[in-house]
Amino acid sequence: MPYDLARSHPLRAALSAEMHVRRLPRFVSPCRLMQVVTLLDDGLHADRAFVTQIGDARGVTIADTARYAVVPLGEVTLVWEGHTEFATYTFIREGAFDEPFDPVMLGEEVARIAAALPGNVIRATQIAVASRGASAPDRAALEQMFEAKALIVCDVADGRAQIASDFTLHDDGFGRLLVLDRGLEGDETGQLVVRLQELGNYRNMALLGLPVAQGLTAEVSALEQRLSVLTHKVSERSSSDDVLLDELTFVSAELARLAATTRYRMSATRAYADLSLERLKSLAIAPVRGYQTLADFTERRLVPAVRTCESFVGRLDDLSQRAAWTSELLRTRIDIALALQNRDLLASVDKRAQIQLRLQQTVEGLSVVAISYYLVALIGYVVGVMPDVDHRIATAVSVPIVLTLVWLAVRRIHRGLID
C-alpha cells in the first residue's frame, strides 16, 4: 500500500524545485557558451513570457510559475533562469571550435533570440571551454584575445582548470572568458561555469548601488551642512523656535525620503556582494605567476564599492539620528518655554484673584455701612414718632446693633455661597 502524502505542505514541490534551479545541463569540453543577463521591470514577467513563446514553438511546456527552463534549439541549448531582479539566458553549444569568441558560431537563430531579449542587458559574456589537454595560450596569444593591461589568469577548482579573462567589454558588446580543462570530471565543468558566471553576475548587481550612492552624496552633504547650521542655531537661540522646528522637520523628511528610496538598493548591494565573495571562495583560486588573479580583481573593485555604499547608508542613519536628537532638544526647549509661560500666566491669574478678593471684601464692607445707614435711618423715623423716647439717643444706640446684625448677615450669606 503506498504512503498517503495528501497532507504535504502546499509549497513542498516548489521548495524542492528551488533546490535544482540555477544549474546548467551536463556538458563537457570543448564547448562554447554565451550568457546574457537582463534587468527585469518590477512586477513584470516578460522574461518568462518570452521563453514560454520559444518553448511553445519547440514543444517544450513551461509552467506559469517556473523560474528555470531548458529549451533545445537544435545544436544549441537555451537555459533560462529567472531571479528577483534579473534573468539569465545561457546558450550552450558543445563541440570543437577554432575561434573561441566568434558569436556567429552559435548560429543566426541565437543571434535573433539574443536581439529580442526583454529588459536591459546588464552583462553579456562569451565563454569558451577548451578541450582537455589543449595547450595553454602564451601571453602573446592571450593579449590578442584580451586587453593586455587587464589580463587575468589563474588556476581554479584546485588546479583542475585554468581561466583567462579581462572582464571588459569588447567591440561586439560581450565580455570574454576562456576556461582550460585540466581534469574536470562529470558535472564539474558545468558547476565551474555556473560559479564563474554567478560571481560576475552578482558582482555587477552589487555595483548597481555604487552610482546611486555617488549620485546622492552631494545631496546628503548639503543636508548634513544644513543640519549643522540648524544645530548651531538651536544652541545659540539665534532664530525663533517655530522657524527652526519647520526647518528641522524639512531636513528630517528629506533624510527619510533618501533612506526610503535607497534602502532596497543598498541592502541588495550588500546581499549581492556577500554572494559574490562566497562564489569567489568556492572557486579555490590559485595564482599563476606573472598574472593577477580573479580574487585580486574582484576584491580590489568590489570591496571599495560596497564600502562606499555602506558609508552612504551609515551617513544617512547618522544624520537621521542627529536630526532626531536636535529636534528633541528643540522640542524640549519649546516645552520649557511653554511651562514658563504657563507659570507666569498662573501667577498672573493668582494675583488677579487676590485683587478681586480684596475688591470684594472692600465692596462687602461698604455694603455693610450702606445697609446699616439706611436701617438706622428707618429706625430713626420709627423712633421719631414715639413721644416718650429720645430720638437722638435711640438712633445712636441702634447704630452698633444694626452694624453688628448687618455684618453677621452678610458674613452668613458669604459663607453660604462658599459652602
Side-chain angles (χ1 to χ4, degrees):
M1 178 179 179
Y3 292 105
D4 183 8
L5 298 180
R7 297 178 61 86
S8 295
H9 192 280
L11 296 178
R12 180 187 178 196
L15 295 176
S16 178
E18 178 67 21
M19 299 300 296
H20 296 281
V21 300
R22 300 176 187 173
R23 58 183 175 85
L24 295 178
R26 175 178 291 189
F27 61 88
V28 295
S29 59
C31 181
R32 282 286 311 277
L33 300 93
M34 183 178 74
Q35 185 178 86
V36 181
V37 183
T38 61
L39 291 178
L40 304 175
D41 294 329
D42 294 338
L44 299 179
H45 302 286
D47 58 324
R48 183 185 300 143
F50 179 77
V51 175
T52 299
Q53 184 178 5
I54 297 175
D56 291 342
R58 289 158 179 80
V60 177
T61 301
I62 299 174
D64 293 338
T65 59
R67 298 175 58 193
Y68 171 84
V70 178
V71 180
L73 305 174
E75 296 181 350
V76 179
T77 301
L78 168 62
V79 181
W80 162 74
E81 299 176 38
H83 298 252
T84 303
E85 291 189 281
F86 62 94
T88 62
Y89 306 86
T90 306
F91 302 90
I92 307 172
R93 180 172 184 174
E94 294 186 86
F97 51 85
D98 296 327
E99 294 292 333
F101 303 114
D102 180 12
V104 180
M105 187 174 183
L106 295 179
E108 295 182 358
E109 184 179 18
V110 173
R112 289 194 300 270
I113 293 175
L117 293 176
N120 296 319
V121 176
I122 190 67
R123 188 167 185 257
T125 311
Q126 293 189 61
I127 307 162
V129 183
S131 59
R132 182 180 301 182
S135 58
D138 57 16
R139 180 177 287 272
L142 290 174
E143 291 181 355
Q144 289 182 350
M145 290 185 284
F146 305 103
E147 185 178 341
K149 295 181 179 179
L151 184 58
I152 294 171
V153 178
C154 61
D155 292 333
V156 294
D158 293 323
R160 295 191 299 277
Q162 187 176 98
I163 64 170
S165 181
D166 54 8
F167 297 101
T168 60
L169 293 180
H170 292 261
D171 295 337
D172 56 4
F174 286 85
R176 296 176 177 179
L177 175 64
L178 177 64
V179 180
L180 303 176
D181 187 350
R182 295 289 184 263
L184 298 171
E185 299 291 342
D187 292 333
E188 287 183 341
T189 305
Q191 291 175 358
L192 175 61
V193 172
V194 166
R195 288 171 183 163
L196 289 168
Q197 288 304 101
E198 286 182 342
L199 169 60
N201 296 341
Y202 292 141
R203 182 183 63 238
N204 279 24
M205 293 301 296
L207 293 176
L208 286 177
L210 181 60
V212 175
Q214 292 174 333
L216 294 176
T217 296
E219 187 173 351
V220 173
S221 298
L223 290 174
E224 186 176 26
Q225 179 63 26
R226 188 168 183 177
L227 179 60
S228 178
V229 172
L230 290 175
T231 304
H232 180 72
K233 288 182 178 180
V234 170
S235 64
E236 294 292 330
R237 293 179 175 267
S238 58
S239 300
S240 65
D241 291 344
D242 292 342
V243 174
L244 288 176
L245 188 58
D246 288 342
E247 293 184 4
L248 278 171
T249 301
F250 172 78
V251 171
S252 298
E254 286 297 295
L255 290 172
R257 177 185 63 82
L258 289 176
T261 55
T262 60
R263 181 176 292 110
Y264 176 79
R265 188 72 270 153
M266 295 300 108
S267 61
T269 291
R270 179 71 267 176
Y272 286 128
D274 290 341
L275 288 172
S276 296
L277 295 177
E278 288 177 3
R279 297 299 186 273
L280 185 66
K281 184 178 180 180
S282 67
L283 287 172
I285 297 173
V288 173
R289 187 173 181 180
Y291 299 97
Q292 64 172 323
T293 67
L294 178 59
D296 295 334
F297 170 83
T298 302
E299 293 174 354
R300 187 170 63 253
R301 288 160 174 79
L302 179 62
V303 173
V306 174
R307 289 179 179 173
T308 298
C309 294
E310 291 176 345
S311 174
F312 174 81
V313 173
R315 286 186 69 189
L316 276 182
D317 293 340
D318 178 66
L319 287 176
S320 298
Q321 186 63 52
R322 286 168 54 189
W325 288 341
T326 305
S327 298
E328 187 65 25
L329 178 62
L330 181 58
R331 289 189 178 93
T332 301
R333 196 175 82 181
I334 293 174
D335 291 341
I336 293 174
L338 291 175
L340 293 176
Q341 291 178 2
N342 292 335
R343 183 199 64 183
D344 296 340
L345 180 61
L346 290 174
S348 176
V349 170
D350 184 59
K351 185 176 181 180
R352 290 180 181 179
Q354 291 178 358
I355 294 174
Q356 290 178 353
L357 178 60
R358 291 176 183 176
L359 290 174
Q360 181 181 355
Q361 291 173 347
T362 303
V363 171
E364 289 178 357
L366 295 175
S367 299
V368 170
V369 174
I371 294 172
S372 299
Y373 172 79
Y374 286 109
L375 287 177
V376 170
L378 290 175
I379 293 172
Y381 286 124
V382 173
V383 174
V385 298
M386 296 179 181
D388 298 331
V389 178
D390 188 340
H391 175 264
R392 290 181 297 174
I393 295 174
T395 302
V397 171
S398 68
V399 170
I401 296 173
V402 171
L403 284 172
T404 302
L405 292 176
V406 172
W407 181 79
L408 290 174
V410 172
R411 188 173 181 82
R412 183 175 181 181
I413 295 171
H414 182 72
R415 288 180 178 178
L417 292 175
I418 294 177
D419 296 338

